Amino acid sequence: MTGSQTKVDFSKIDEIITQCGGKKSNLIAILQKVQEVYRYLPEDAMIYIGTKIEGLSPATVFGVATFYAQFSLDPKGKYEVKCCDGTACHVRGSMPVLNAIKARLNLQDGKFTTDDGLFSVETVSCLGACGLAPVVVINEKVYPQMTSDAIKVVLDTILQEENK
Amino acid sequence: MSEDKKTLFIDGKEVAFTDEPNLLEVIRKAGMNVPTFCYRPDLTQFGACRMCVVEVEYPNGRVIVNSSCTMPPEAGVNVKLNTERVRRIRRTVLELLLANHDRECTTCEKSGTCELQKYSEEYGVRNIKYPTLQPEDLKEIDTSNPSIVRDANKCILCGACVRACKEYHGHAVLGFANRGSKTLVQPMNGRKLADVDCVFCGQCKAVCPTGALTLKNDVNAVWEEINNPNKKVVVQVAPSVRVAIGEMFNMPAGENVIGRLYAAMRRIGFDLVFDTNFSADLTIMEEATEFLERLKKGENLPLFTSCCQAWVRYVETQHPEMINHLSTCKSPQGMLSSVIKHIVPKVREGFTEENMVVVSVMPCSAKKAEIKRPQLTVDGKYDTDYVLTTQEFAQMIKSAGLDLNKLEPEEADSPFGQYTGAATIFGASGGVAEAAARTAYYMVTGENLPSDDIEGMRGVDKSAYSKHVELDIKGTKVGVRVVSTLNEAEKAIQEIKNGTANFQLLEVMACPGGCVNGGGQPISCNTPELRKRRAEGLYAEDMRDLQFRRSHDNPDIKKLYDEYLEKPNSHIAHELLHTTYSDLRKGSYKDLK
């Protein structure tokens, strides 16, 4: 794993476990909630969950966390940029949009979180908004019919907000 | 055709079946076979490897191809094991597996017993039509663990180790990670096997069909010691080795070859040949005394047996608050090594503490870790210098050009050669408790048990992972719980914690069925009958062959106490035969900051 790990507040995780039901069948919901808090799954949190819940082990939790693309083992950015690359978005030009995002945020090959931790970028397979293709979602907000120029404006606006 | 007697056809031959869990079992019971990698009768069915595919033809003419390990048997179907279609599928599976496999077979620890190698040979795979693994793709081999070596380049992702670790151990340290072509079997977050709470039981290795999980091999190091003229090499051999090692020389499981084993040891060049069974008797003397002492005082009950290193480590890492329940007795291996190093120089000329090397032949992988326990070293020197598994020792016999079949039986050396039936049954789950019961009863009442056979403690198959027996020691009721697998041990621990435990003695063996099925034994994961035969071999020796059946009757044990140890649990006995445990939770990977 890259980057430094966040310090985990285990009482918070206990709370999440209780809230979700505390059974091993609730694991995905628990991991989603933990990821909401930390924006990724810290290793200590996975070990803690695997030790705490009956029938699980840290290795099993890690297996689930690495199986699903929705979970991240690296800290995600404050702004999570999801660039849709489903069939519709792809044919309507999602790749140039993704490349524009990477260029604007200066993300080289293989990296998906900016050094300042502000942005993380990922492609997703379909956001279910094919009529608006190509679509980019930034922290739950949908940006329809993107072009490489339009997305630059969106990112510039966020950056300006942040730099104020 | 009656209701409970159903039949199906295998390649046209009518075969009856009853409650077999799957088609594969029906096929094997009928004396036929289909290849498997992921199927292990004692573990949950997985259906991962697709090697056991067969063609199933229904009476209505419909034909399907399915994996026989996941398919329930159905009356009236015709199962075809070797059609061109299924043979082609199996060959493709083999080729795909081999394409991703480090095929350095000649230097592989598993060579000769590897199932992938065996089936590739049977299916005549000579060319692989897919791009194969390149040297730069090879992943690092994990040798960090004191017992187990993990080589991901030889893993075929059958998941047997993951299931064994989960279903036997409870807290699986191995798991799948990632997805699709990137899938790996590994400990949490790719850690080394030394950096997780592995208990070294070796069951992952015992069920692994390839060389992905193997044990550290000390054969060459032992040969070097034997061939060093300045060293005196002493060997000891554990109870369950004698009824299993013969399998590697084409003898039936359960055949007791102890006399021939002693002979082989002398031919190989060991200077003194002792039997761990002797110290199993010694363990009983100490542990029974300790148990009665605790029973009298009512403290630290239930007493946990401490022979199984995997179990000891489990308590130390998972339940360190309960380490005072563990018997302070060293394992029989530890006891014997300790008395060998202490007493042999006094009674045998030419042997000194400095020039002696102690080798033990064990059914176990955890013993390789046990000898490195800081509590079992004196001035930085290990009591036991090397542990060889049953498999390693068979390899040693073969490389010495010997055939176990052709050797004349010999006797072990004195003073640690004689043993009783109570000691020999240590090798099967329940044996330690039964042996302890025989001696504890005598110590309390001055008489022997009405019958030395405590049937309720015996049994090594899946249905006997947990056994409960209530003993009546002249009015005092003592509950004895006998478990194998740490999953069952955990249940017993939970009973103690929530106050419902109805036993005062807990015997735990980490491997299913006990040492007869240990991680270092000849491969037995496909045939649970093997461990049953081995256990029968031990009980046969106990009931039929040996002069004495109770540890306290062993004349050499009496002599040892008379001449050196005074009495069980004496000061000197404590010094040599007892040990301490530590809280290993601290610093373990689950000890979170």
Side-chain angles (χ1 to χ4, degrees):
Chain A
M1 291 308 102
T2 54
S4 60
Q5 297 266 324
T6 322
K7 194 150 170 49
V8 177
D9 175 7
F10 297 111
S11 60
K12 180 83 201 148
I13 298 194
D14 275 334
E15 233 171 76
I16 292 172
I17 292 175
T18 328
Q19 205 184 333
C20 294
K23 287 214 209 72
K24 71 173 184 180
S25 51
N26 306 123
L27 178 61
I28 290 177
I30 293 167
L31 292 179
Q32 283 169 334
K33 286 242 157 68
V34 171
Q35 182 156 297
E36 265 173 41
V37 175
Y38 295 99
R39 290 185 301 188
Y40 79 112
L41 296 175
E43 188 184 32
D44 280 358
M46 286 188 282
I47 295 175
Y48 186 77
I49 295 166
T51 312
K52 190 91 183 175
I53 298 175
E54 203 186 317
L56 290 178
S57 79
T60 322
V61 175
F62 185 77
V64 172
T66 51
F67 186 90
Y68 294 103
Q70 60 170 308
F71 295 121
S72 171
L73 302 188
D74 285 316
K76 285 199 177 182
K78 185 176 173 193
Y79 294 91
E80 276 180 52
V81 183
K82 290 183 183 135
C83 181
C84 184
D85 193 30
T87 314
C89 289
H90 188 82
V91 296
R92 303 275 306 217
S94 60
M95 276 299 115
V97 174
L98 179 68
N99 290 336
I101 298 171
K102 285 186 175 169
R104 178 65 192 85
L105 299 177
N106 208 3
L107 287 169
Q108 313 287 349
D109 268 335
K111 263 187 81 176
F112 64 92
T113 307
T114 52
D115 289 335
D116 55 8
L118 209 51
F119 289 94
S120 58
V121 181
E122 62 183 314
T123 57
V124 292
S125 289
C126 184
L127 289 164
C130 307
L132 308 174
V135 178
V136 173
V137 172
I138 301 177
N139 283 2
E140 318 277 296
K141 188 162 181 214
V142 181
Y143 296 87
Q145 294 179 325
M146 278 294 113
T147 61
S148 24
D149 291 335
I151 194 70
K152 265 185 224 157
V153 176
V154 172
L155 294 174
D156 284 340
T157 319
I158 295 174
L159 280 168
Q160 263 173 22
E161 267 314 293
E162 281 297 320
N163 289 335
K164 257 183 199 166
Chain B
M1 218 188 317
S2 73
E3 265 300 292
D4 48 353
K5 192 175 176 289
K6 294 169 280 188
T7 64
L8 51 75
F9 297 88
I10 300 177
D11 287 332
K13 182 175 170 278
E14 193 169 11
V15 173
F17 66 95
T18 48
D19 56 350
E20 283 81 359
N22 51 55
L23 195 51
L24 181 64
E25 287 290 335
V26 180
I27 295 169
R28 288 194 171 162
K29 261 191 195 158
M32 284 167 271
N33 194 27
V34 285
T36 53
F37 291 130
C38 72
Y39 182 73
R40 300 291 182 229
D42 283 334
L43 300 173
T44 47
Q45 291 129 34
F46 206 48
C49 74
R50 317 314 286 177
M51 280 298 281
C52 67
V53 283
V54 290
E55 239 178 61
V56 179
E57 191 184 354
Y58 289 92
N60 65 8
R62 193 171 140 246
V63 177
I64 60 160
V65 170
N66 201 355
S67 56
S68 55
C69 74
T70 54
M71 201 178 170
E74 252 177 83
V77 296
N78 186 17
V79 184
K80 295 175 184 169
L81 307 184
N82 283 300
T83 63
E84 193 45 41
R85 197 170 163 204
V86 295
R87 288 188 72 85
R88 202 181 57 235
I89 293 171
R90 289 180 202 147
R91 209 173 305 120
T92 306
V93 168
L94 282 168
E95 278 187 44
L96 286 167
L97 289 175
L98 289 171
N100 273 321
H101 195 82
D102 174 12
R103 285 177 287 126
E104 281 289 340
C105 277
T106 47
T107 51
C108 179
E109 183 71 35
K110 203 62 182 265
S111 184
T113 50
C114 171
E115 289 170 67
L116 183 61
Q117 193 184 44
K118 176 182 159 202
Y119 289 125
S120 303
E121 170 59 29
E122 283 181 11
Y123 277 75
V125 180
R126 292 292 175 267
N127 294 305
I128 294 164
K129 53 181 172 286
Y130 309 101
T132 56
L133 196 71
Q134 298 303 306
E136 61 270 21
D137 304 329
L138 291 178
K139 294 175 200 82
E140 197 192 339
I141 299 172
D142 177 5
T143 56
S144 62
N145 188 289
S147 308
I148 298 159
V149 179
R150 196 174 67 85
D151 182 353
N153 307 303
K154 288 174 182 158
C155 179
I156 59 168
L157 303 175
C158 70
C161 55
V162 176
R163 281 172 288 151
C165 200
K166 184 173 167 55
E167 290 168 31
Y168 296 150
H169 180 295
H171 300 265
V173 300
L174 288 170
F176 285 103
N178 307 328
R179 181 178 40 167
S181 62
K182 295 195 174 71
T183 309
L184 282 174
V185 168
Q186 60 175 26
M188 163 77 197
N189 206 354
R191 284 170 187 245
K192 300 259 184 209
L193 260 178
D195 300 334
V196 290
D197 296 343
C198 170
V199 298
F200 322 128
C201 72
Q203 284 299 318
C204 57
K205 171 261 169 192
V207 297
C208 179
T210 70
L213 287 157
T214 52
L215 299 185
K216 291 209 165 148
N217 192 312
D218 294 305
V219 169
N220 288 332
V222 172
W223 273 118
E224 259 176 54
E225 299 283 8
I226 288 173
N227 290 327
N228 181 344
N230 302 321
K231 292 286 172 76
K232 294 278 187 191
V233 189
V234 182
V235 68
Q236 56 164 308
V237 53
S240 60
V241 176
R242 68 205 65 206
V243 287
I245 196 167
E247 291 162 38
M248 297 185 77
F249 296 87
N250 297 322
M251 289 180 232
E255 183 159 332
N256 189 339
V257 296
I258 189 64
R260 284 173 274 179
L261 209 49
Y262 296 149
M265 287 167 167
R266 292 217 176 85
R267 293 304 91 71
I268 284 171
F270 288 103
D271 297 292
L272 280 176
V273 176
F274 292 136
D275 202 312
T276 315
N277 272 6
F278 171 82
S279 56
D281 278 331
L282 195 55
T283 304
I284 288 302
M285 297 304 287
E286 294 294 324
E287 200 162 308
T289 311
E290 184 186 17
F291 175 60
L292 293 172
E293 193 66 21
R294 287 197 197 182
L295 207 57
K296 206 162 77 190
K297 290 188 187 153
E299 62 188 21
N300 295 332
L301 290 170
L303 172 85
F304 298 168
T305 59
S306 59
C307 304
C308 174
Q309 169 59 25
W311 157 239
V312 167
R313 186 166 156 90
Y314 184 77
V315 178
E316 288 185 317
T317 55
Q318 310 299 322
H319 299 285
E321 71 285 359
M322 299 183 102
I323 51 177
N324 54 2
H325 285 264
L326 281 166
S327 159
T328 59
C329 293
K330 288 179 187 173
S331 72
Q333 168 185 272
M335 281 199 184
L336 190 53
S337 298
S338 173
V339 291
I340 287 172
K341 290 233 160 135
H342 190 78
I343 292 170
V344 167
K346 294 179 182 155
V347 296
R348 289 269 178 172
E349 220 167 289
F351 288 79
T352 64
E353 255 182 73
E354 288 71 41
N355 73 6
M356 237 190 327
V357 175
V358 177
V359 177
S360 65
V361 180
M362 295 282 142
C364 182
S365 49
K367 294 285 169 198
K368 282 182 187 274
E370 181 189 294
I371 60 171
K372 298 192 171 117
R373 285 176 70 85
Q375 294 96 326
L376 298 183
T377 49
V378 183
D379 304 331
K381 278 188 76 184
Y382 301 139
D383 278 350
T384 317
D385 297 281
Y386 299 97
V387 172
L388 298 176
T389 62
T390 311
Q391 284 194 20
E392 282 174 276
F393 195 66
Q395 180 195 339
M396 208 170 173
I397 297 174
K398 286 178 184 171
S399 83
L402 299 169
D403 182 353
L404 212 50
N405 291 286
K406 293 182 182 144
L407 292 168
E408 281 300 315
E410 293 180 11
E411 295 287 321
D413 287 304
S414 72
F416 313 127
Q418 198 164 176
Y419 62 88
T420 72
T424 214
I425 59 174
F426 262 57
S429 162
V432 177
E434 187 171 340
R438 291 178 192 172
T439 292
Y441 191 91
Y442 175 80
M443 284 176 169
V444 174
T445 64
E447 301 166 22
N448 289 316
L449 272 168
S451 162
D452 282 322
D453 301 311
I454 309 175
E455 293 292 343
M457 292 183 186
R458 297 183 186 177
V460 293
D461 52 8
K462 211 173 174 176
S463 58
Y465 287 170
S466 177
K467 291 162 276 192
H468 188 91
V469 169
E470 194 165 88
L471 292 174
D472 185 351
I473 307 181
K474 293 250 161 142
T476 316
K477 297 257 192 279
V478 176
V480 182
R481 177 72 59 87
V482 173
V483 299
S484 64
T485 75
L486 295 174
N487 234 352
E488 292 296 335
E490 179 63 33
K491 287 182 200 161
I493 284 185
Q494 289 312 323
E495 282 178 37
I496 297 167
K497 287 195 169 169
N498 64 29
T500 57
N502 56 350
F503 50 90
Q504 286 78 45
L505 176 65
L506 175 65
E507 183 207 293
V508 180
M509 297 294 157
C511 292
C515 309
V516 284
N517 196 32
Q521 293 279 46
I523 294 161
S524 60
C525 55
N526 276 327
T527 24
E529 289 82 51
L530 283 181
R531 65 174 189 254
K532 232 166 125 181
R533 296 284 106 74
R534 293 173 189 166
E536 282 164 10
L538 293 177
Y539 288 110
E541 192 184 26
D542 171 35
M543 297 195 280
R544 193 186 59 207
D545 303 340
L546 294 170
Q547 192 187 350
F548 302 108
R549 296 191 64 190
R550 307 168 204 109
S551 300
H552 52 274
D553 291 338
N554 185 336
D556 280 355
I557 291 281
K558 288 181 191 166
K559 217 171 120 199
L560 182 67
Y561 278 111
D562 288 345
E563 290 176 10
Y564 296 98
L565 299 176
E566 297 159 25
K567 61 181 177 50
N569 286 8
S570 70
H571 181 71
I572 171 89
H574 256 280
E575 221 157 76
L576 289 181
L577 310 178
H578 291 253
T579 185
T580 56
Y581 306 102
S582 46
D583 180 346
L584 294 182
R585 177 97 188 174
K586 259 196 147 50
S588 94
Y589 82 123
K590 289 182 195 158
D591 178 35
L592 299 165
K593 275 115 351 232

